[in-house]
Amino acid sequence: MELWYTEKQTETYGITAKIKETYVHEKTDFQELAMIETEEFGTMLVLDGMVMTTDKDEFVYHEMVAHPALYTHPNPRHVLVVGGGDGGVIREVLKHPEVEKAVLVEIDGKVIEYSKKYLPNIAGGLDDPRVEVIVNDGFMHIHDHKNTYDVIMVDSTEPVGPAVNLFTKGFYQGIYESLKEDGIFVAQTDNPWFKADLIESVYRDVKEVFPIVRVYCANVPTYPSGLWTFTMGSKKHDPLEVDESAIPDIDTKYYSPRLHKGAFALPKLVENLLK
């Protein structure tokens, strides 16, 4: 008998993958969590029926959350990752030797536990001495840490369940206050095909808080539509003014010095959402 996993990405559209094995399927204190082995994408982490990451394509998302902001900031010594319990963004942050401390705040400890067990290539950096892992509410952590971080990265699910508060203007204001005077923040902001209104509202809210706001894109095959957006808010530093020749060619599979500015060249359907 064949077993297939299907993510219903809208009421009329979804993606499906053939399952080799189910490692975990349980209801945590916060969400439904599954860790499954698929034929096409390897091990897949699923939260509340949504694909969070897979062995095969995870590097795109994690690299594009981390590197554009870290190469825009001239000296990112203290970095916060909200969510991201799989550890992928932390792994990319640690590729920057100037980072002295990276704090991960994940509300669901089970995500961390199972990612370490079943996604070791992604979660391996969580035991690095530069990393502090906190199982807590990222919203409250930011509220309690003013003027603390150089860069804040929000690696959240879609705005459902425990992630609802991470897509509000109040949260972006809290991030602004938690950043140092030249701080930068970045968040994943979904796709323009099915969540255009979300991109519009996040851009509008962030623009009311940060003087510099940029949106960029990447291709993540297992995410709805494959075209994914990220929104960056900055107090002083513009990613479009970065000297690409000064960006080292680090160990990445998607991000590159040439792509740094190229990712901000938006398709018109995304450009039009920001008007």
Side-chain angles (χ1 to χ4, degrees), residues 241-274:
E241 295 179 359
V242 170
D243 180 4
E244 294 175 33
S245 66
I247 299 176
D249 193 11
I250 61 170
D251 178 22
T252 55
K253 297 178 183 178
Y254 190 90
Y255 177 87
S256 70
R258 285 189 299 172
L259 185 68
H260 179 89
K261 290 181 182 177
F264 293 88
L266 300 175
K268 265 201 166 181
L269 80 160
V270 181
E271 268 190 351
N272 290 337
L273 297 177
L274 309 183

Side-chain angles (χ1 to χ4, degrees), residues 128-173:
D128 188 280
R130 287 188 287 165
V131 177
E132 179 183 1
V133 177
I134 301 171
V135 178
N136 206 342
D137 185 343
F139 190 95
M140 294 309 299
H141 180 88
I142 282 175
H143 180 269
D144 295 337
H145 291 76
K146 308 295 186 187
N147 192 34
T148 302
Y149 296 105
D150 298 302
V151 178
I152 295 175
M153 303 169 181
V154 182
D155 178 7
S156 67
T157 65
E158 293 185 29
V160 295
V164 169
N165 288 334
L166 306 186
F167 289 84
T168 63
K169 185 180 176 183
F171 182 57
Y172 305 137
Q173 182 62 45

Side-chain angles (χ1 to χ4, degrees), residues 61 64-65 186-189 214-216 218 228-232:
Y61 175 83
M64 293 303 286
V65 170
V186 63
Q188 72 85 10
T189 45
R214 302 292 185 195
V215 174
Y216 59 99
W228 212 247
T229 72
F230 307 81
T231 299
M232 183 186 298

